[in-house]
Amino acid sequence: MIIDVHAHWGPWFFTMDVAGASLATMDRYGIGKAIVSATEAVIYDAPAGNRALARVLDGQDRLYGYVTVNPRRLGEAAGDLRELTGPWVGIKIHTDYTGSPVTSPRMRAALELAAEAGLPALVHTWGASVLDLAQVCLDIPELRVIAGHMGADGHRHAIEAANACDRLYLEPCWSHAPAGRIAEVVAAVPDRQLLFGTDATLIDPSSAFGAVAAAGLTGVTAERVAWRNAAELFKI
């Protein structure tokens, strides 16, 4: 079993013909379940994208949804969290597309919404911002956060962040795959805080699969990364 905790549904504004590729891509790589956010919701209109995704999630059992939250439109976000029903298991927040740094008051308010809803929040992190996310997580009781991309080129900051807050999880997808990056993180972070994500369909899952395979994970750690931690965190 593999659970992809960082995936998407819907077309991108890049020149990519992947709008309908989610399930086919999952089948190609043996991904049993994926937690997806609507591309429209992430980059343009959160309420409209969330509702479009709701229609996709209805009646199937392989895709689970992130309610995408725009910290600059918190009233709409609260409404979505009240009104959307079905297999919604987390919240997605993209700091860059919404112009909402982790340290901003709007972002803190958005993460407080996640904590109140009892849902884990997948947050886009890059560089040292993952350290800021750890501090916000420490400041908000019951909040559970996933550092999307585990800081990308800031993976050493991600190590520090995860060790500072045991409610912060690391997800490794990135468009680059520096040698030893994932192995270094796995050696320094409790394996219960590690997840697997691909950034499909923006990035082909082969990138994440290759990077994780190069880390040589075995036994309980490999199982935790592949699916067990995700199943426990999202209750699926």
Side-chain angles (χ1 to χ4, degrees), residues 75-149:
E76 293 176 347
D80 285 353
L81 289 168
R82 285 193 307 269
E83 296 166 15
L84 292 170
T85 60
W88 301 92
V89 295
I91 286 173
K92 169 67 178 285
I93 306 175
H94 200 295
T95 53
D96 289 352
Y97 287 139
T98 62
S100 304
V102 172
T103 54
S104 69
R106 289 186 180 93
M107 175 60 78
R108 184 185 182 93
L111 291 173
E112 287 172 345
L113 276 181
E116 291 168 7
L119 297 174
L122 171 62
V123 179
H124 177 87
T125 62
W126 215 265
S129 68
V130 66
L131 292 171
D132 297 325
L133 184 62
Q135 185 58 58
V136 176
C137 190
L138 288 169
D139 291 344
I140 301 176
E142 308 304 322
L143 176 64
R144 294 163 295 158
V145 293
I146 303 163
H149 314 293

Side-chain angles (χ1 to χ4, degrees), residues 150-236:
M150 64 184 193
D153 60 355
H155 70 277
R156 293 189 176 95
H157 297 307
I159 291 171
E160 183 178 352
N163 283 309
C165 180
D166 64 4
R167 290 178 283 116
L168 184 145
Y169 297 76
L170 302 180
E171 175 278 307
C173 70
W174 188 23
S175 55
H176 301 278
R181 173 176 175 261
I182 292 178
E184 184 176 351
V185 171
V186 170
V189 172
D191 63 6
R192 60 166 296 278
Q193 290 173 256
L194 303 173
L195 300 166
F196 177 74
T198 67
D199 216 3
T201 53
L202 176 61
I203 299 174
D204 191 278
S206 60
S207 175
F209 269 87
V212 172
L217 308 186
T218 59
V220 173
T221 297
E223 183 180 83
R224 282 192 170 279
V225 172
W227 68 272
R228 186 174 294 279
N229 287 341
E232 293 174 356
L233 178 61
F234 292 101
K235 297 180 173 60
I236 59 177

Side-chain angles (χ1 to χ4, degrees), residues 27-47:
D27 289 341
R28 177 187 294 179
Y29 291 98
I31 298 170
K33 299 180 184 295
I35 308 170
V36 301
S37 56
T39 305
E40 179 185 7
V42 172
I43 65 175
Y44 180 60
D45 186 321

